[in-house]
Amino acid sequence: MMFSSASRTLVLALLTLGASASRGGTPTVSYNVSAAETYLPNKDYSNEQLALLWYQVGPVATHPVVTATVEPTPEPSWAGPGEFHPFVASNYPEELAVAKLPPGFNWGMTSSAYQLEGAAKDEGRGPSIWDLLSHRNPNQVADNSTGDVLAQHYYLYKQDFQRLAKYGSPYYSTSISWPRIFPFGKGPINEAGIKHYDDVIAELVKHGIKPALSLFHWDTPLALFNEYGGWTNPKIVDDYLNYAKFVIARYDKHVPVWFTFNEPQYCNWQYSYYPAGILYPSYGIGPGINARFICGHYTLLAHAKLAKWYHNEFKGKGRISFKNSGNYYQPVTNSTGDLEAAKRATDFSIGWFGGPWTDGDYPQSLKDTLGEILPTLSKAEKALIKGSCDFYALDGYTAFYVSELPGGANACARNRSDPNYPECGSSSQVAPNGFSIGPAADAGASWLKSTPTGIRKFLSAITKEIFPAVKDIVVSEFGFAEPFESEYASVPDAIWDLRRTDYIQGFLDNILLAITEDHVNVTGAYIWSIMDNFEWGSGIKTRFGMQYVSYDTLTRTPKASWFQARNWFKRHGGEFLPGAE
Ligand code: BGC
């Protein structure tokens, strides 16, 4: 089922609103707001554009108690676990016992706006496509949760940052919600949204926590999707630039690290598979392989334009890059076919967006396989892309074995109806010995196995073989969803997250080995995530947090992994804030 008939009527009515037919018969929705108009959060917009957008989403839940910013209360002392069960030991005691991180190593926790903020409809925020998807797509979120309320970080950030300060991590990586600032994606600005982020940044600065800010973590303003199909339309580039420049100009003096995009590879799943009719109006490019590569194309161009503007015109103070979703692909044997299959898998994931480190163009394997599906980059665009990242940012969670298809890659690459097209390789997380490649995460993250040695190999491979131009690499996300964590009846049981603790220890050990033994210049590591949050297709039952969130009381409780990570950074010379406990 896609839609109830009532909601279908509603969406069609909305799409017809202000619609006009273009020459190609493609209706466009124009929102009647002028760029000069200031959006007033207290003005009654019922029956106007914003209310209509929210009507399209449907009823939005609010928290019964927490509806305004809460002042922090004193933090409890943390003893951490360990009397009857030790922390997880390192597998590399001899090599690593005395190894130290390089000075200035960036580390901290992470989150993103839609996954943590809650307060979805409050203070003038416009909906993003994720509000619509979580509310209207019955197949979207396994546990039927939404981002409406979650941990209400939007109102509890002062408490959350006070706790981070006590923890002592010097950085915090999160994202800004585009539709909180521009409820329609462009046009009028929401003053309440700006005031909120002014306060958020000021609060971080007050504690000495450095923000690493993503400008986009998948929450495309719904109005822009309604109007022209989001990232399938070149118009999005200017709208994104307008928003992103506004944010950078306002906060740059406090933000040493900017991420233009969180994982442009998201185009793969966001633009390939969604059911037409919910996100995709009956016009524009529907979901599928064309949309996937067009989305990637405009994302890469938007990134490059912003990064070049940031350094050349704006003269920004910080560093700018985008975060790559990248998993380590290991050929299952050393046969030529398996090696080539692993190379193709890498080309189609991080190679696709590797232009900043090469000649600015897409890999040859993508061009050969995709033909006219892959947009062409002009000479000027390639020049723009090349050199547009100050460092490589890798969100590297796990690893896969890759093998050649029985018929070889070439036959598949010529046959667009081959089920393995266009990657044309076979990947698996089962080792030849019958074991999974590593211990499995929660079933809601079935793609995730704990593979700490994979991150070490991957860091070397990226900097020495895949993109030798990379001189500085940051692991901008890694993290784990403890299996069955939501099944425990008691919080004290749930917070002994042994498998996540082992993952964190193993990943950090291997990142350090990449630095000390393999001489890779890894300059940062950020753990996903500061606390439990909304895990896209799985919802809130799949938990990635280093703190447990009780969704009824909104209480956050540090898990064993929170202490394991802190102990690790203390042991290996990580920098801590002066007020750290
Ligand atoms: C994304 C996060 C997501 C995490 C775990 C990362 O790739 O940036 O938004 O929650 O993976 O799936």
Side-chain angles (χ1 to χ4, degrees), residues 294-323:
I294 290 171
C295 165
H297 190 71
Y298 294 133
T299 304
L300 191 56
L301 286 174
H303 153 78
K305 285 188 175 173
L306 188 68
K308 289 282 161 90
W309 167 85
Y310 181 68
H311 286 308
N312 299 347
E313 287 180 48
F314 179 71
K315 313 273 185 220
K317 283 186 352 94
R319 306 206 300 161
I320 195 160
S321 190
F322 59 85
K323 294 161 72 188

Side-chain angles (χ1 to χ4, degrees), residues 254-417:
H254 302 302
V255 178
V257 183
W258 292 103
F259 295 115
T260 53
F261 288 91
N262 181 71
E263 305 179 357
Q265 290 85 355
Y266 89 105
C267 293
N268 272 337
W269 55 281
Q270 197 135 327
Y271 282 77
S272 294
Y273 314 117
Y274 284 137
I278 291 180
L279 253 193
Y280 292 86
S282 53
Y283 56 84
I285 300 169
I289 194 163
N290 286 294
R292 169 180 164 187
F293 287 97
I294 290 171
C295 165
H297 190 71
Y298 294 133
T299 304
L300 191 56
L301 286 174
H303 153 78
K305 285 188 175 173
L306 188 68
K308 289 282 161 90
W309 167 85
Y310 181 68
H311 286 308
N312 299 347
E313 287 180 48
F314 179 71
K315 313 273 185 220
K317 283 186 352 94
R319 306 206 300 161
I320 195 160
S321 190
F322 59 85
K323 294 161 72 188
N324 280 274
S325 167
N327 295 311
Y328 182 61
Y329 293 117
Q330 174 154 303
V332 74
T333 72
N334 275 337
S335 73
T336 315
D338 290 345
L339 287 166
E340 197 201 318
K343 161 106 177 48
R344 285 185 69 94
T346 305
D347 282 352
F348 274 86
S349 58
I350 60 171
W352 181 13
F353 297 102
W357 311 101
T358 59
D359 56 2
D361 203 357
Y362 296 121
Q364 195 58 44
S365 59
L366 268 71
K367 291 199 262 189
D368 292 347
T369 307
L370 293 164
E372 82 295 346
I373 294 172
L374 187 69
T376 309
L377 288 162
S378 69
K379 218 172 146 193
E381 288 170 338
K382 286 183 209 166
L384 187 75
I385 291 165
K386 192 172 177 184
S388 59
C389 287
D390 296 329
F391 62 97
Y392 196 91
L394 171 68
D395 293 0
Y397 281 77
T398 194
F400 289 81
Y401 290 106
V402 184
S403 50
E404 185 184 17
L405 291 177
N410 288 345
C412 161
R414 285 193 300 267
N415 176 9
R416 289 187 183 173
S417 28

Side-chain angles (χ1 to χ4, degrees), residues 115 217-218 262-263 395 397 447 477 528 535-536 544:
Q115 294 180 272
H217 200 121
W218 309 348
N262 181 71
E263 305 179 357
D395 293 0
Y397 281 77
W447 52 273
E477 277 184 35
W528 184 270
E535 177 55 19
W536 308 115
F544 271 88

Side-chain angles (χ1 to χ4, degrees), residues 421-484:
Y421 184 85
E423 286 83 355
C424 295
S426 159
S427 66
S428 161
Q429 287 187 309
V430 179
N433 63 12
F435 276 82
S436 274
I437 193 165
D442 188 72
S446 56
W447 52 273
L448 178 55
K449 311 283 186 271
S450 179
T451 54
T453 56
I455 193 75
R456 178 176 173 186
K457 293 184 187 186
F458 202 19
L459 288 166
S460 262
I462 291 174
T463 51
K464 294 170 189 170
E465 293 154 29
I466 304 169
F467 305 125
V470 172
K471 302 293 174 227
D472 178 339
I473 186 163
V474 169
V475 182
S476 39
E477 277 184 35
F478 66 105
F480 200 71
E482 185 78 8
F484 308 115

Side-chain angles (χ1 to χ4, degrees), residues 159-305:
Q159 187 83 47
D160 291 334
F161 296 161
Q162 178 174 288
R163 178 166 291 192
L164 266 192
K166 181 172 162 181
Y167 190 71
S169 51
Y171 283 79
Y172 176 52
S173 171
T174 190
S175 75
I176 300 273
S177 159
W178 181 352
R180 271 201 200 281
I181 296 191
F182 290 91
F184 306 99
K186 61 181 173 179
I189 283 172
N190 174 22
E191 292 296 340
I194 298 166
K195 160 112 190 32
H196 170 75
Y197 287 119
D198 285 354
D199 291 347
V200 164
I201 304 289
E203 196 72 9
L204 286 168
V205 169
K206 182 181 101 187
H207 288 297
I209 302 168
K210 297 187 190 78
L213 281 191
S214 293
L215 292 153
F216 178 83
H217 200 121
W218 309 348
D219 42 359
T220 304
L222 178 58
L224 300 185
F225 225 105
N226 286 344
E227 185 184 331
Y228 53 64
W231 288 94
T232 59
N233 192 303
K235 288 182 185 168
I236 194 98
V237 176
D238 282 345
D239 289 337
Y240 167 82
L241 290 174
N242 178 52
Y243 146 73
K245 288 178 182 178
F246 177 88
V247 174
I248 290 181
R250 198 165 181 99
Y251 300 124
D252 190 56
K253 59 177 174 298
H254 302 302
V255 178
V257 183
W258 292 103
F259 295 115
T260 53
F261 288 91
N262 181 71
E263 305 179 357
Q265 290 85 355
Y266 89 105
C267 293
N268 272 337
W269 55 281
Q270 197 135 327
Y271 282 77
S272 294
Y273 314 117
Y274 284 137
I278 291 180
L279 253 193
Y280 292 86
S282 53
Y283 56 84
I285 300 169
I289 194 163
N290 286 294
R292 169 180 164 187
F293 287 97
I294 290 171
C295 165
H297 190 71
Y298 294 133
T299 304
L300 191 56
L301 286 174
H303 153 78
K305 285 188 175 173

